Amino acid sequence: SSAASDVYKRQVQQEKGVYESDRVDSPFLLGWLRPRIYLPVGLSPDQRQHVLAHERAHWRRGDTWAKLLAWLALCLHWFNPLLWLAYRLLCRDLETACDQAVIRAMTPGQRADYAETLLCLGRRTVQPVGLAFGREDTKQRVRHVLDFRRPPMLVAVVGAVVCVLTVLLILSNPGDKGTQLDGVSITCLLYTSDAA
């Protein structure tokens, strides 16, 4: 907690919601009602642009709230290994989703620059609540960024059609109600007569 207060004392506001400090070694987003982005000193303009785009994607998506709820669930069920696995997968998915949001409109060269920023700032540690730019499985994220392909529109359309047809088929099949006698299933009548 003294380290956190030291960061607050030695921070410099760069723009609204963005702070720079020589006490942080990796960029991160912290806070729920008014999240702040913290940057280490000495980022290049390209690195700064990549980091801000990534952390703002977390901000827009409300990922700090999702991670807080997941952490609270871990506090209640700390003994459940499946919940710890789910938490790790959630953290990985949050980072992947934000990476995709940032690189979607990038050229291959820009994606390579983004991957280089990940390599420069990435360290693999568990972050309980704050969302750090390069700290969640850096190797896998770099591979994903470099191999990113926008899915063809046909795949999305086929997937949507399959989902709609599945829902329609489930809703249109009421199941076997059995033979009816005056609106009451014969099997119900048999059970009640056996009980009597």
Side-chain angles (χ1 to χ4, degrees):
S1 135
S2 62
S5 64
D6 194 30
V7 169
Y8 282 116
K9 289 176 190 171
R10 303 197 50 176
Q11 67 185 1
V12 177
Q13 185 168 1
Q14 299 296 311
E15 54 187 275
K16 186 177 180 182
V18 179
Y19 295 82
E20 192 173 76
S21 174
D22 60 356
R23 294 292 177 165
V24 297
D25 62 348
S26 181
F28 62 93
L29 177 68
L30 185 65
W32 296 285
L33 297 178
R34 279 184 267 170
R36 292 178 170 187
I37 298 171
Y38 289 91
L39 305 174
V41 174
L43 292 180
S44 72
D46 283 347
Q47 288 175 333
R48 182 184 172 87
Q49 180 184 355
H50 295 152
V51 167
L52 288 177
H54 179 92
E55 299 302 337
R56 285 176 175 147
H58 278 304
W59 191 334
R60 283 190 305 272
R61 293 165 37 86
D63 288 347
T64 52
W65 289 101
K67 204 158 184 183
L68 174 65
L69 292 175
W71 188 248
L72 291 175
L74 271 181
C75 289
L76 294 174
H77 291 273
W78 56 267
F79 51 85
N80 188 341
L82 290 178
L83 200 57
W84 282 98
L85 175 63
Y87 178 75
R88 288 293 293 149
L89 294 175
L90 170 73
C91 293
R92 189 187 68 185
D93 289 346
L94 291 178
E95 296 304 325
T96 301
C98 288
D99 286 339
Q100 285 184 351
V102 173
I103 67 174
R104 186 167 283 128
M106 288 183 173
T107 65
Q110 291 170 328
R111 287 199 298 269
D113 291 341
Y114 184 84
E116 186 177 342
T117 300
L118 278 175
L119 282 174
C120 290
L121 300 174
R123 289 181 182 84
R124 191 173 177 182
T125 60
V126 176
Q127 294 292 315
V129 178
L131 292 162
F133 175 76
R135 297 209 174 211
E136 202 60 50
D137 198 3
T138 304
K139 180 180 176 182
Q140 187 66 29
R141 287 176 63 193
V142 168
R143 184 178 298 138
H144 171 75
V145 166
L146 294 176
D147 293 340
F148 178 75
R149 303 276 187 279
R150 185 185 292 267
M153 183 58 78
L154 179 61
V155 172
V157 170
V158 168
V161 168
V162 167
C163 288
V164 168
L165 286 176
T166 303
V167 169
L168 288 175
L169 287 172
I170 290 171
L171 293 176
S172 66
N173 183 6
D176 183 21
K177 292 183 180 177
T179 308
Q180 296 286 316
L181 180 66
D182 292 331
V184 178
S185 172
I186 291 176
T187 53
C188 289
L189 292 175
L190 289 175
Y191 287 131
T192 54
S193 63
D194 288 342

